[in-house]
């Protein structure tokens, strides 16, 4: 589970020690606040989307979306300006975050960082990266070397994804008929 660095009654800040960004380990500079009431003092900070909408003009703030968030046109327009959008996985069996990431990348063309937070499991990392997540915040009980190995678990994918937007049969047809 994430490490609590500030356990005041109103704030619970988390700082993931193990972050993988674009397939490589990277130092995490962002804290995660789950408080809906007030902004944390520590920055840069990822805060609930409702709080971010109130204070989103600050460059050192980024929103996190709950897995059941609805991407309205107004919200998507505001999110386009965010440097990072975190999507929460409250439990390992809640896959709605995959859809949110894919919508942000493919339908709405979001170019910033899309980070998976919460109950992010090593065996899901490959699929998360195919859906548009480029940053993965691992739980503290997970090992970095296992996570990096899991990202490369498959060398070929049958279905199109955000990373390779062509199905395997389409690639094979293209390669067999070059011209």
């Amino acid at each position: 589970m994430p490490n609590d660095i500030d356990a005041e009654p109103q704030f619970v800040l988390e700082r993931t020690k193990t972050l993988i960004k674009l397939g490589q380990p990277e130092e995490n500079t962002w804290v995660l606040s789950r408080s809906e009431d007030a902004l944390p003092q520590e920055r840069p900070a990822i805060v609930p989307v409702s709080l971010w909408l109130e204070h989103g003009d600050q460059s050192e703030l980024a929103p996190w979306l709950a897995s059941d968030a609805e991407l309205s046109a107004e919200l998507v327009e505001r999110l386009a300006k965010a440097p990072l959008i975190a999507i929460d996985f409250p439990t390992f069996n809640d896959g709605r975050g995959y859809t949110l990431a894919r919508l942000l990348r493919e339908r709405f063309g979001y170019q910033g960082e899309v980070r998976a937070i919460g109950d992010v499991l090593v065996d899901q990392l490959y699929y998360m990266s195919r859906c548009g997540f480029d940053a993965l915040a691992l739980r503290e009980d997970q090992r970095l070397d296992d996570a990096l190995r899991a990202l490369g678990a498959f060398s070929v994918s049958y279905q199109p994804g955000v990373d390779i937007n062509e199905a395997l049969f389409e690639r094979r047809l293209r390669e067999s008929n070059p011209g």
Side-chain angles (χ1 to χ4, degrees), residues 6-14 32-41 47-48 51:
D6 186 2
E8 294 177 22
Q10 297 176 340
F11 290 108
V12 176
L13 296 180
E14 303 170 12
L32 173 66
S33 172
R34 295 201 180 261
S35 171
E36 300 270 347
D37 300 325
L39 295 175
Q41 291 184 349
V47 298
L51 199 56

Side-chain angles (χ1 to χ4, degrees), residues 3-157:
N3 186 22
D4 294 342
I5 60 171
D6 186 2
E8 294 177 22
Q10 297 176 340
F11 290 108
V12 176
L13 296 180
E14 303 170 12
R15 183 181 300 277
T16 300
K17 292 180 182 172
T18 308
L19 179 70
I20 297 175
K21 187 171 179 182
L22 300 174
Q24 300 297 318
E26 185 168 308
E27 181 182 351
N28 180 28
T29 57
W30 292 78
V31 295
L32 173 66
S33 172
R34 295 201 180 261
S35 171
E36 300 270 347
D37 300 325
L39 295 175
Q41 291 184 349
E42 191 170 342
R43 304 291 169 89
I46 302 169
V47 298
V49 69
S50 59
L51 199 56
W52 180 80
L53 288 170
E54 293 175 28
H55 305 278
D57 55 341
Q58 300 177 36
S59 65
E60 292 192 328
L61 292 178
W64 66 262
L65 303 175
S67 62
D68 63 349
E70 290 189 32
L71 296 176
S72 66
E74 179 184 339
L75 178 58
V76 168
E77 185 178 325
R78 300 273 312 267
L79 289 173
K81 299 172 187 161
L84 175 162
I85 300 172
I87 298 175
D88 191 31
F89 286 83
T91 61
F92 75 91
N93 60 357
D94 185 345
R96 294 175 289 181
Y98 290 90
T99 303
L100 288 173
R102 198 140 185 185
L103 287 172
L104 286 169
R105 293 288 192 210
E106 292 182 334
R107 184 175 295 171
F108 303 114
Y110 180 72
Q111 297 295 313
E113 178 181 322
V114 177
R115 181 182 294 197
I117 60 171
D119 199 6
V120 177
L121 299 180
V122 167
D123 61 348
Q124 297 173 335
L125 300 180
Y126 173 78
Y127 304 104
M128 288 178 166
S129 68
R130 298 229 54 230
C131 289
F133 287 97
D134 55 4
L136 308 157
L138 300 180
R139 294 186 334 215
E140 295 305 318
D141 63 334
Q142 296 174 325
R143 296 174 38 163
L144 178 61
D145 54 340
D146 291 342
L148 294 172
R149 214 175 6 261
L151 280 172
F154 301 100
S155 60
V156 176
S157 57

